[in-house]
């Protein structure tokens, strides 16, 4: 079965100006969680290329309500055990709003591929994502607008898209938003299809409450992330459409 995407050191003596890597021994992930309560696989996160360039990389995550102190940790290379938390050290990056703050992301330039983990604190506990494999060199994120929209029922349009690689795909993340990026619904499916707002095939839902009815004649944006088992975005599909 496909595993549900949920969305989980040594100091580099110097860093080039084009590389945001920042490592030092007291900023290790193991030091951060030492003598604290933490939970792995508790942050929904993935990563992909910037929409126009192979670099920088964007690491997306869902900040739960009342969460704080967002951090990003990285390994020195991709050739390590990603589940060994002692391999991770802090990246000196601040997160920024994504979809107007409903989600957040870290944006950075990295000279090599590696594993990453996103963390935040909530209710006194530290929450960690599953490891994210950064593949911006080996397997850059593809971009497409090829989404089919069936508007026979205009209030419940059906969105469908092709799977670029069945082998690489684990799950799809869909966002319906306004053209100014106010998130209306955020859902995950194993199928390459989603109907607004029918959650019968939704396996994970980050929508806040029941989303509103869509308005005829208004323009909306639909975004799909095709995510691999190691949480890399294989393909990003985006389309704007006018509701009939």
């Amino acid at each position: 079965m496909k595993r549900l995407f949920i969305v989980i050191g040594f100091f580099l003596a110097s860093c080039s100006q084009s590389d945001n890597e920042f490592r030092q021994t007291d900023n290790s992930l193991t030091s951060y969680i030492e003598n604290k309560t933490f939970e792995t696989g508790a942050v929904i996160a993935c990563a992909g290329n910037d929409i126009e360039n192979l670099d920088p990389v964007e690491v997306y995550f869902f900040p739960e309500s009342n969460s704080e102190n967002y951090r990003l940790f990285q390994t020195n290379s991709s050739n390590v055990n990603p589940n060994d938390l002692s391999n991770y050290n802090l990246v000196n990056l601040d997160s920024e709003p994504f979809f107007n703050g409903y989600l957040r992301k870290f944006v950075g330039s990295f000279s090599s591929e590696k594993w990453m983990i996103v963390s935040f604190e909530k209710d006194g506990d530290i929450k960690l994502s599953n490891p994210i494999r950064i593949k911006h060199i080996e397997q850059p994120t593809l971009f497409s607008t090829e989404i089919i929209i069936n508007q026979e029922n205009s209030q419940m349009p059906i969105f469908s898209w092709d799977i670029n690689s069945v082998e690489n795909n684990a799950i799809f993340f869909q966002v319906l938003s306004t053209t100014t990026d106010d998130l209306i619904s955020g859902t995950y499916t194993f199928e390459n299809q989603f109907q607004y707002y029918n959650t019968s095939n939704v396996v994970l839902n980050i929508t806040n409450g029941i989303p509103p009815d869509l308005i005829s004649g208004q323009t909306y944006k639909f975004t799909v992330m095709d995510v691999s088992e190691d949480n890399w975005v294989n393909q990003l599909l985006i389309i704007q459409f006018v509701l009939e």
Side-chain angles (χ1 to χ4, degrees), residues 85-143:
L85 300 184
S86 67
N87 287 321
Y88 291 85
N89 288 276
L90 183 69
V91 183
N92 188 27
L93 288 174
D94 292 326
S95 66
E96 56 188 69
F98 184 48
F99 283 106
N100 294 332
Y102 201 101
L103 304 175
R104 297 190 70 84
K105 63 181 179 179
F106 293 96
V107 181
S109 296
F110 302 93
S111 58
S112 62
E113 297 186 346
K114 55 196 67 190
W115 292 89
M116 293 188 174
I117 284 178
V118 176
S119 76
F120 59 64
E121 297 177 16
K122 180 178 179 179
D123 300 329
D125 295 337
I126 297 174
K127 309 290 186 178
L128 305 176
S129 73
N130 284 323
I132 305 164
R133 174 73 157 81
I134 304 303
K135 295 188 282 192
H136 60 303
I137 300 172
E138 171 189 323
Q139 186 191 319
T141 301
L142 302 176
F143 299 93

Side-chain angles (χ1 to χ4, degrees), residues 32-162:
Y32 174 49
I33 63 176
E34 187 176 7
N35 299 321
K36 297 176 183 176
T37 303
F38 67 93
E39 180 183 2
T40 59
V43 178
I44 301 171
C46 63
N49 292 104
D50 178 86
I51 195 167
E52 296 179 348
N53 304 288
L54 299 186
D55 198 27
V57 169
E58 299 188 341
V59 183
Y60 315 103
F61 67 98
F62 174 56
E64 293 183 16
S65 177
N66 299 319
S67 61
E68 59 183 357
N69 198 9
Y70 309 119
R71 299 189 183 192
L72 179 66
F73 295 86
Q74 68 177 0
T75 62
N76 187 46
S77 75
S78 60
N79 298 318
V80 298
N81 178 359
N83 297 312
D84 183 350
L85 300 184
S86 67
N87 287 321
Y88 291 85
N89 288 276
L90 183 69
V91 183
N92 188 27
L93 288 174
D94 292 326
S95 66
E96 56 188 69
F98 184 48
F99 283 106
N100 294 332
Y102 201 101
L103 304 175
R104 297 190 70 84
K105 63 181 179 179
F106 293 96
V107 181
S109 296
F110 302 93
S111 58
S112 62
E113 297 186 346
K114 55 196 67 190
W115 292 89
M116 293 188 174
I117 284 178
V118 176
S119 76
F120 59 64
E121 297 177 16
K122 180 178 179 179
D123 300 329
D125 295 337
I126 297 174
K127 309 290 186 178
L128 305 176
S129 73
N130 284 323
I132 305 164
R133 174 73 157 81
I134 304 303
K135 295 188 282 192
H136 60 303
I137 300 172
E138 171 189 323
Q139 186 191 319
T141 301
L142 302 176
F143 299 93
S144 174
T145 59
E146 296 182 5
I147 299 174
I148 299 171
I149 306 175
N150 181 335
Q151 295 201 58
E152 291 182 5
N153 182 346
S154 63
Q155 286 297 305
M156 299 182 69
I158 301 172
F159 305 90
S160 58
W161 54 91
D162 290 336

